[in-house]
Amino acid sequence: MGGGRKRGRTQRRHFKQGRDNVWKHNPQRPPASAAGEGGEGREGNPSWQPFATENPAFEEYYKEQQTIPKEEWDDFMSMLRKPLPATFRINASCQFFQDICSQLENDFRKSLETEVSDEHEEDAIRPLPWYPGNLAWHLNFSRMELRRNQALESFHEFLKQENEVGNITRQEAVSMVPPLFLNVQPDHHILDMCAAPGSKTFQLLEMIHQSTKPGLLPNALVVANDVDVQRCNLLIHQTKRMCTANLIVTNHEAQNFPGCNLAKFCSEMCTDESKLQRLEFDRVLCDVPCSGDGTVRKAPDMWRKWNAGMGNGLHRLQVEIAMRGMGLLNVGGRMVYSTCSMNPVENEAVVAEILRRCGDSVELLDVSNELPELARRPGLTTWKVRDRGSWFGVHEDVPCYRKDVISPSMFPSGKGSKDNRMVSSSVEVNTNVVDADMKDSTDIGEGEQETKIAIDDSNNSDNPNTEGRAKVDCESGEAKDSYKKLDSTSIRTEHSDYPLHRCMRIVPHDQNSGAFFIAVLHKLSPLNENQVVEVIKSEHGNLKDRTEKLEEDLGSGKVSSEETILHQQVVDGTNVLDGEQNGDMDNKSSKDKGSNDSKVIVNEAENGQAGTRDRRRRPQNQGRWRGVDPVIFFKDEVTIRSIVSFYGIKDSFPLEGHLVTRNPDASHVKRIYYVSKSVQDVLDLNIKVGERLKITSLGLKIFERQSSKDGSPCTFRLSSEGLPLLLPYITKQILYASAIDFQHLLQYRTIKFPDFVDAKFGEEASALLPGCCVLVLREGHQDIGSIAMDPSAIAIVCWKGKTNLCVMVSPLDGKELLERISLRFGLEVPKADGPKQEIDGSDEQPDCATETDDQECLPQSKASDMEISDVKEVE
């Protein structure tokens, strides 16, 4: 973990797997075959019981916070107990965008009308009115209904197939909102701080490509970061469907995302103003780890796991991540802070703390005129904090032994008690060092990065012993009377002076969705670093004073060792220099031990052995992040000339400086990637500053090594992902097929030259050099010279053998393309199990199915090992 510093339990423990779909895998749910209409499944399985969609602590908490008016409470709770409708988004930059829109409007929308089951819903499927361009669609069916309703089977298959090839993305509706408020422009550098599983990152990539002319690369850049290496694999799998050269995936703690400032690493500044000298971003998406109680409709197991301590435990981490994002933001830039939680401690309190630390350098924007059809509620200006079964409205009322856990920033004013700047006069003795409100808690946060809290405690928030603990005066060591819990109706409250009503809270019953919180922040000027440092020094100074006093009292026997452990955990959990947020994180905090060491630290922390390990980081060798292959610019002139000559690539296509690989041995390179100019500039900067970015994936796979028995003149074949980018610049090894021959080739995958319908086409194919070639669909009597220059041209990669032509696209992509071709030209859609042609065994027959995701950079876990059906919408 970054910097080698100790962390609180909440920050040390991260999910290593995606969220389990408890609707799908409920062990008490009857088998699909036994669950029919009229409750047949229940009769067949008497032990089956539905999830208990209630939690008294949850209802008490949010009634007290008054996030929902009393007259709406029943509607609110009723909606939370209903399964979440399925939603998806169309990729407007995909090749078949218009075809998909037409199919939804003219085919599925009509055929699904008879399946409407909700009396409140008029349409079975409809576009979301607030999403621009009718690109997002709402279904009147839950994900479980889509899986189990036979009448929806064809539509469900359509969704799965189009999602896997990247034409649509299955994503929760409210999760689509934060990127829309970033106001992304075609030349923006964008940072997604907690990006996994990647649906929002994919949405950002759609935006930058949609704003660029087809066939051209945008000037924009997206850097998608996640703390966990395995979740980075999921992120890579999701974003590879976009086939973009404008993405970099990194693996860092978001709160310690490294700064790349050339001025700090070079004695003289680079004189070339066109070169990037400091890595800053025009837009930052800060979708932080959260308690995730806004997802109860999708993850009903949250009802059982939720408690008030989850939000309290994440607050400090959320502030750190948001402050780091603000430090990386350009002046004039916009940052969106969001969570899928309804808890004001994770929402308004964090936003208020950002404004408090940044002063006049940052403003909270009023975006009420943007997306006017989106139903939203204003943010709260007053709230309370619950700790150990008690409610507190001001930090002064928090017991002194809990003031290090319940920080002033959790309250509306953000101010601590007057004696908080000195040693507290009394400390309550408590051998239970863990918050009782965090018993058996598991944070299922969205943030595209999820944090797991699993803290054992034998007490609960209603334990009567909470009121009966003895208090010890820190000066005399004498016991005092136990304090009484404050009644929530009589506690003091305070209001925030910041315009928090400009924040947005989306509640489920307003538009049949999940819950979400969004705040849009604008950076007006460089952060006042001195002001930020003073705030942090003040907080750390208080902790230091109390630590020294506790150590003295421990030596004199006035307080217990357990209480000192509690205090030390708090100190360790807040030991972050936020004063660096406006600049670059130092070398210590930006280095990473690698995923293996991180796992060891986590395991030791869980086993109570965290203090026995030397956490000082060993310096990393430049460019050698453990477990991740380096990024190398590919400069093998012989290979590049061979590729250019074989495919006749025009000089107008820029290759120099745009080709990278992950293998430092040029003679054994398997894949070559293409990066945009914006990514190239970041890579140049990263090399100059000592490769501080831990890059797990980047670029667009454009060439791949392919061996051949017949000895092809070129050892590298074209990649299907990179073909659309390269197609307008290829002049050799290219064929133009009629719709019927194109369909037959996709259907049978290998056809001998004499067997093509167009005999002339078969002769042209046989005349090509052996090896890789491109097959372009010729529509009608199109002029061949203009087809390849058309960015909407349909083309696939093939292999020309001695006697036949073989397609080199994955079976899934081939199936989807075959259906599109058949529908567009009115051809009969072939059956799935059609006859196959005999193939000459002497020809080189590359197995198309082996063209899988590249995992050179992440050997520890493979995206291909995941069940593809579970990689869909996971937010």
Side-chain angles (χ1 to χ4, degrees), residues 280-309:
E280 290 185 321
F281 299 91
D282 304 289
R283 297 290 186 265
V284 173
L285 178 57
C286 188
D287 193 59
V288 297
C290 66
S291 60
D293 53 26
T295 67
V296 291
R297 299 186 65 187
K298 181 179 61 178
D301 202 34
M302 174 60 68
W303 287 104
R304 176 181 61 84
K305 297 178 180 179
W306 186 92
N307 60 67

Side-chain angles (χ1 to χ4, degrees), residues 214-216 650 652 724-731 734 736 776-777 782-795:
L216 298 178
K650 298 177 182 178
S652 56
L725 176 66
L726 193 59
L727 180 60
Y729 304 92
I730 295 177
T731 60
I734 188 166
Y736 300 89
V776 183
L777 174 62
Q782 276 184 299
D783 177 41
I784 291 179
S786 63
I787 297 178
M789 296 301 296
D790 182 3
S792 63
I794 300 174

